[in-house]
Coordinates of all heavy atoms in Angstrom, one line a residue:
A131 N -3.2 -9.5 12.0 CA -2.8 -11.0 12.1 C -3.0 -11.6 10.7 O -2.2 -12.5 10.3 CB -3.6 -11.6 13.1
A132 N -4.1 -11.4 10.0 CA -4.4 -11.8 8.7 C -3.3 -11.5 7.8 O -2.9 -12.2 6.9 CB -5.7 -11.4 8.2
A133 N -2.8 -10.2 7.8 CA -1.7 -9.8 6.9 C -0.4 -10.6 7.2 O 0.3 -11.0 6.4 CB -1.5 -8.3 7.2
Y134 N -0.2 -10.9 8.6 CA 0.9 -11.7 8.9 C 0.8 -13.2 8.2 O 1.8 -13.7 7.6 CB 1.0 -11.8 10.4 CG 2.0 -12.8 10.9 CD1 3.3 -12.5 10.8 CD2 1.6 -14.0 11.6 CE1 4.4 -13.3 11.3 CE2 2.7 -14.9 12.0 CZ 4.0 -14.5 11.9 OH 4.9 -15.4 12.4
V135 N -0.4 -13.7 8.5 CA -0.6 -15.1 7.9 C -0.5 -15.1 6.3 O 0.0 -16.1 5.8 CB -1.9 -15.7 8.4 CG1 -2.4 -16.9 7.7 CG2 -2.0 -15.8 9.9
A136 N -1.0 -14.1 5.7 CA -1.0 -14.1 4.2 C 0.2 -13.5 3.6 O 0.3 -13.5 2.4 CB -2.2 -13.2 3.8
G137 N 1.2 -13.2 4.4 CA 2.6 -12.9 3.8 C 2.7 -11.5 3.3 O 3.4 -11.2 2.4
V138 N 1.9 -10.5 4.0 CA 2.0 -9.1 3.5 C 3.5 -8.6 3.9 O 3.9 -9.0 5.1 CB 0.9 -8.3 4.1 CG1 1.1 -6.9 3.9 CG2 -0.4 -8.7 3.6
T139 N 4.0 -7.9 3.0 CA 5.3 -7.4 3.4 C 5.4 -6.3 4.3 O 6.1 -6.2 5.3 CB 6.0 -6.9 2.0 OG1 5.9 -7.9 1.0 CG2 7.5 -6.5 2.2
K140 N 4.6 -5.2 4.1 CA 4.5 -4.1 5.0 C 3.1 -3.5 4.9 O 2.4 -3.7 4.0 CB 5.5 -3.0 4.5 CG 5.7 -1.8 5.5 CD 6.8 -0.9 4.9 CE 8.2 -1.5 5.2 NZ 9.3 -0.6 4.9
V141 N 2.7 -2.8 6.1 CA 1.4 -2.2 6.2 C 1.5 -0.8 6.5 O 2.3 -0.4 7.4 CB 0.6 -3.0 7.3 CG1 -0.8 -2.3 7.6 CG2 0.3 -4.4 6.9
F142 N 0.7 0.0 5.8 CA 0.7 1.5 6.3 C -0.9 1.8 6.7 O -1.7 1.4 5.9 CB 1.0 2.4 5.0 CG 2.4 2.1 4.5 CD1 2.8 1.3 3.6 CD2 3.4 2.9 5.1 CE1 4.1 1.1 3.2 CE2 4.8 2.9 4.6 CZ 5.1 1.9 3.7
T143 N -1.0 2.4 7.8 CA -2.3 2.7 8.3 C -2.8 3.9 7.7 O -3.0 5.0 8.4 CB -2.2 2.7 9.9 OG1 -1.3 3.7 10.3 CG2 -1.8 1.3 10.4
V144 N -3.2 3.9 6.5 CA -3.7 5.0 5.7 C -4.9 4.4 4.9 O -4.9 3.3 4.6 CB -2.7 5.8 4.9 CG1 -1.7 6.4 5.8 CG2 -2.1 4.8 3.9
G145 N -5.8 5.2 4.6 CA -7.0 4.8 3.7 C -7.5 5.9 2.9 O -6.9 7.0 2.7
G146 N -8.6 5.7 2.3 CA -9.2 6.6 1.4 C -8.6 6.9 0.1 O -7.6 6.1 -0.2
A147 N -8.9 8.0 -0.5 CA -8.4 8.3 -1.9 C -6.8 8.5 -1.7 O -6.0 8.3 -2.6 CB -8.9 9.5 -2.5
Q148 N -6.4 9.1 -0.5 CA -5.0 9.4 -0.3 C -4.0 8.2 -0.3 O -3.0 8.1 -0.7 CB -4.8 10.2 1.0 CG -5.3 9.6 2.3 CD -6.7 9.7 2.6 OE1 -7.5 10.2 1.7 NE2 -7.0 9.6 3.8
A149 N -4.7 7.1 0.2 CA -3.9 5.8 0.2 C -3.7 5.2 -1.3 O -2.7 4.8 -1.6 CB -4.6 4.7 1.1
I150 N -4.8 5.4 -2.1 CA -4.8 4.9 -3.4 C -3.7 5.8 -4.2 O -3.0 5.2 -5.0 CB -6.1 5.0 -4.1 CG1 -7.1 4.0 -3.4 CG2 -6.0 4.6 -5.6 CD1 -6.8 2.6 -3.3
A151 N -3.7 7.0 -4.0 CA -2.7 7.8 -4.6 C -1.4 7.5 -4.2 O -0.5 7.6 -5.1 CB -3.1 9.4 -4.4
A152 N -1.2 7.3 -3.0 CA 0.2 6.9 -2.4 C 0.7 5.6 -3.1 O 1.9 5.7 -3.5 CB 0.2 6.9 -1.0
L153 N -0.1 4.7 -3.2 CA 0.2 3.5 -3.9 C 0.5 3.6 -5.4 O 1.4 3.0 -6.0 CB -0.8 2.4 -3.8 CG -1.1 1.9 -2.3 CD1 -2.2 0.9 -2.3 CD2 0.2 1.2 -1.8
A154 N -0.3 4.5 -6.0 CA -0.2 4.7 -7.5 C 1.1 5.6 -7.9 O 1.8 5.2 -8.9 CB -1.4 5.3 -8.0
Y155 N 1.3 6.6 -7.2 CA 2.4 7.4 -7.5 C 3.7 7.2 -6.7 O 4.7 7.7 -7.1 CB 1.9 8.9 -7.3 CG 0.6 9.3 -8.2 CD1 -0.4 9.7 -7.5 CD2 0.6 9.1 -9.5 CE1 -1.6 10.0 -8.2 CE2 -0.5 9.5 -10.3 CZ -1.6 9.9 -9.6 OH -2.7 10.1 -10.3
G156 N 3.5 6.6 -5.6 CA 4.7 6.6 -4.6 C 4.9 7.8 -3.8 O 4.6 9.0 -4.3
T157 N 5.5 7.6 -2.7 CA 5.9 8.9 -1.9 C 7.2 8.6 -1.4 O 7.9 7.7 -1.8 CB 4.9 9.0 -0.6 OG1 5.2 8.1 0.4 CG2 3.4 9.1 -1.0
E158 N 7.7 9.5 -0.6 CA 9.1 9.3 -0.1 C 9.3 8.0 0.7 O 10.3 7.4 0.7 CB 9.6 10.5 0.8 CG 9.6 11.8 0.3 CD 8.3 12.6 0.4 OE1 7.2 11.8 0.4 OE2 8.3 13.8 0.5
T159 N 8.2 7.4 1.2 CA 8.1 6.2 2.0 C 7.4 5.1 1.5 O 7.8 3.9 1.5 CB 7.5 6.6 3.5 OG1 8.3 7.8 4.0 CG2 7.7 5.4 4.4
I160 N 6.2 5.4 1.0 CA 5.5 4.3 0.3 C 5.9 4.1 -1.1 O 5.9 5.1 -2.0 CB 4.0 4.7 0.4 CG1 3.5 4.7 1.9 CG2 3.2 3.6 -0.4 CD1 2.0 5.0 2.0
P161 N 6.3 2.9 -1.5 CA 6.8 2.7 -2.8 C 5.6 2.6 -3.9 O 4.6 2.1 -3.6 CB 7.5 1.3 -2.7 CG 6.8 0.6 -1.6 CD 6.4 1.7 -0.6
Q162 N 5.8 3.0 -5.1 CA 4.8 2.8 -6.1 C 4.8 1.4 -6.5 O 5.5 0.6 -6.5 CB 5.4 3.6 -7.4 CG 4.3 3.5 -8.4 CD 4.8 4.2 -9.8 OE1 6.0 4.0 -10.2 NE2 4.0 4.9 -10.4
V163 N 3.4 0.9 -6.6 CA 3.2 -0.4 -6.8 C 2.8 -0.5 -8.3 O 2.7 0.4 -9.1 CB 2.0 -0.9 -6.1 CG1 2.3 -0.8 -4.6 CG2 0.6 -0.2 -6.3
D164 N 2.7 -1.8 -8.8 CA 2.2 -2.1 -10.3 C 0.7 -2.3 -10.4 O 0.2 -2.1 -11.4 CB 3.0 -3.3 -10.7 CG 4.5 -3.2 -10.6 OD1 5.0 -2.2 -11.1 OD2 5.2 -4.1 -10.1
K165 N 0.2 -2.7 -9.3 CA -1.4 -2.8 -9.3 C -1.9 -2.7 -8.1 O -1.2 -3.0 -6.9 CB -1.7 -4.4 -10.0 CG -3.1 -4.6 -10.3 CD -3.1 -5.9 -11.0 CE -4.5 -6.0 -11.7 NZ -4.6 -7.3 -12.4
I166 N -3.2 -2.3 -8.0 CA -3.9 -2.1 -6.7 C -5.1 -2.9 -6.8 O -6.0 -2.8 -7.7 CB -4.3 -0.6 -6.4 CG1 -3.1 0.3 -6.4 CG2 -5.0 -0.4 -5.3 CD1 -3.4 1.8 -6.5
T167 N -5.4 -3.7 -5.7 CA -6.6 -4.5 -5.7 C -7.3 -4.3 -4.3 O -6.7 -3.7 -3.4 CB -6.4 -6.1 -5.8 OG1 -5.6 -6.4 -4.5 CG2 -5.4 -6.2 -7.0
G168 N -8.5 -4.5 -4.2 CA -9.3 -4.5 -2.9 C -10.4 -3.5 -3.0 O -10.3 -2.5 -3.7
P169 N -11.5 -3.7 -2.3 CA -12.6 -2.9 -2.3 C -12.5 -1.7 -1.4 O -11.6 -1.7 -0.5 CB -13.7 -3.8 -1.7 CG -13.0 -4.7 -0.8 CD -11.7 -4.9 -1.4

């Protein structure tokens, strides 16, 4: 719900190092981003 209120575009239910790698390099489905934030 917080993601909805804050205007998040899309959510992937993945975590850990694999999620960071997916954001950094991109996969067939998860697009590569320019910056990663969050603890």
Side-chain angles (χ1 to χ4, degrees):
Y134 174 72
V135 170
V138 170
T139 309
K140 187 175 288 187
V141 175
F142 294 89
T143 57
V144 295
Q148 59 272 20
I150 299 298
L153 291 172
Y155 303 119
T157 71
E158 299 91 327
T159 305
I160 296 182
Q162 182 186 39
V163 302
D164 301 313
K165 191 169 192 175
I166 301 172
T167 71

